[in-house]
Amino acid sequence: MRHFLEFEKPIAELEGKIEELRRATDAGGIDLAEEVGRLSDKVEALLRQTYAKLTPWQKTLVARHPDRPKALDYVRQLVTDWTPLAGDRAFADDAAVVAGLGRFRGHAVAVLGTEKGRDTEGRVKHNFGMARPEGYRKARRLMELAGRFGLPILSFVDTAGAFPGIEAEARGQAEAIARSIEAGLEAPVPFVATIIGEGGSGGAIALAAADRILMLEHAVYSVISPEGCASILWRDSAQAPQAAEALRLTAEDLRKLNLVDAVVAEPLGGAHRDASAVVESVGAKVWDMLEPLLALDGATLRARRREKFLEMGRAGVV
């Protein structure tokens, strides 16, 4: 069954009626196609009306939709000859970060992603996409491997942030994130990152210190979650909608601020309504960004990447 968000209740009611009419048609042989068509038109109109004026908090909810395509969905559809790599060669393997080698548009690439998991078992296995230090050390290992063998790096980011548990802090969470960011900035190969859902704090930047940063239309990217921000500022996580407004975390805001390079459109109603089409659109846009970078040498890539992020800071100060 399709999962509906709180603000989609009127849409859910109409789609429920359509499903009832279709079942009645199948059971009794009654032709209700005209009524189904009429209600379908109403659903589309209501979707357009609703999604044309989403608030930043509503976009956050869409970015977290449980049926939204995950990092492994992008890997399976876009990457051939996929060979996963595991472990950080220091402590353990972290399933929140997926890493491996494969081919994208015929080119050998290194691929990273934060994976949230689709069902309860998967979410527990992947720790809801919140990586521990070993996850970021695995990402660093892959980026260094890519640099050694001249493989472009693709990353797909979808995380609320790094795991905040005591054991993660004890194993050097902040240092692991910083080293992963450093590895991304220093990689002598093309690097394209895509924010496919949530891009939360340093846990997201660790896999997105890239030459080109893409973002889906209803994804969010911020230094902190709206709930976390509200808890700090107002001691009340219920103020999350107000915090989301202030954080300017939507793709539209971030494109205006030049913090992302391009926004990939989603189907009406969000990526979860046509996941395969969204993945293909992302693949096409990633290739558009990657292809020109393939002609540049490592020194040029590093210099341009460094300047890109320094300019973000300069513009922010101004």
Side-chain angles (χ1 to χ4, degrees):
M1 292 180 64
R2 180 174 286 160
H3 176 89
F4 290 93
L5 301 170
E6 183 68 25
F7 67 86
E8 293 180 315
K9 277 188 175 179
I11 298 166
E13 291 172 2
L14 283 175
E15 292 203 354
K17 290 178 182 177
I18 290 171
E19 188 58 31
E20 287 177 10
L21 290 174
R22 284 175 175 158
R23 281 200 294 266
T25 299
D26 294 340
I30 307 170
D31 186 5
L32 298 171
E34 185 176 341
E35 181 65 12
V36 168
R38 186 181 66 81
L39 288 177
S40 296
D41 290 342
K42 286 186 68 175
V43 166
E44 183 173 352
L46 192 53
L47 273 171
R48 290 190 184 281
Q49 179 184 345
T50 302
Y51 275 77
K53 56 180 182 180
L54 290 182
T55 66
W57 175 242
Q58 289 171 334
K59 281 189 176 263
T60 302
L61 298 179
V62 177
R64 295 171 177 172
H65 197 288
D67 298 331
R68 196 173 178 84
K70 307 295 189 291
L72 283 173
D73 296 320
Y74 287 85
V75 171
R76 293 184 188 109
Q77 191 168 331
L78 298 177
V79 180
T80 58
D81 299 329
W82 169 246
T83 302
L85 300 180
D88 65 344
R89 298 299 185 265
F91 182 77
D93 183 48
D94 186 350
V97 174
V98 295
L101 306 176
R103 291 188 176 277
F104 173 70
R105 298 291 202 270
H107 291 263
V109 293
V111 183
L112 286 166
T114 39
E115 173 63 30
K116 284 185 172 181
R118 186 159 296 284
D119 53 20
T120 301
E121 182 180 355
R123 290 177 188 126
V124 171
K125 174 185 174 183
H126 296 287
N127 199 35
F128 300 85
M130 295 184 293
R132 297 175 171 87
E134 49 269 26
Y136 297 114
R137 292 183 178 123
K138 175 166 67 172
R140 176 188 175 191
R141 184 168 77 88
L142 186 83
M143 287 187 268
E144 290 175 349
L145 186 71
R148 193 173 304 127
F149 292 100
L151 303 175
I153 303 167
L154 307 181
S155 74
F156 301 95
V157 179
D158 186 14
T159 179
F163 183 63
I166 293 174
E167 70 272 25
E169 296 298 330
R171 293 199 295 274
Q173 184 73 292
E175 182 268 348
I177 290 172
R179 293 290 186 184
S180 183
I181 294 171
E182 179 185 43
L185 292 173
E186 290 296 317
V189 292
F191 186 177
V192 179
T194 307
I195 312 301
I196 59 174
E198 283 188 279
S201 192
I205 299 172
L207 272 68
D211 298 294
R212 298 289 182 269
I213 304 168
L214 309 179
M215 191 170 174
L216 264 67
E217 180 183 359
H218 299 310
V220 294
Y221 194 18
S222 175
V223 69
I224 192 172
S225 70
E227 294 93 333
C229 178
S231 295
I232 292 170
L233 294 182
W234 297 289
R235 309 287 185 192
D236 181 7
S237 60
Q239 298 294 324
Q242 183 178 345
E245 293 277 354
L247 285 168
R248 300 180 73 179
L249 43 62
T250 69
E252 183 181 7
D253 287 330
L254 292 165
R255 184 68 194 95
K256 288 178 182 176
L257 293 168
N258 289 319
L259 298 179
V260 299
D261 296 288
V263 176
V264 181
E266 297 187 27
L268 182 62
H272 53 281
R273 285 184 172 261
D274 195 347
S276 180
V278 168
V279 173
E280 284 301 320
S281 294
V282 167
K285 196 66 177 178
V286 167
W287 177 245
D288 287 345
M289 293 290 179
L290 178 62
E291 189 176 21
L293 298 174
L294 295 173
L296 303 178
D297 61 73
T300 302
L301 288 167
R302 281 197 297 262
R304 288 189 176 185
R305 201 178 299 139
R306 178 178 186 275
E307 186 59 30
K308 173 188 180 70
F309 282 89
L310 286 173
E311 182 55 35
M312 290 181 188
R314 295 189 195 106
V317 170
V318 172

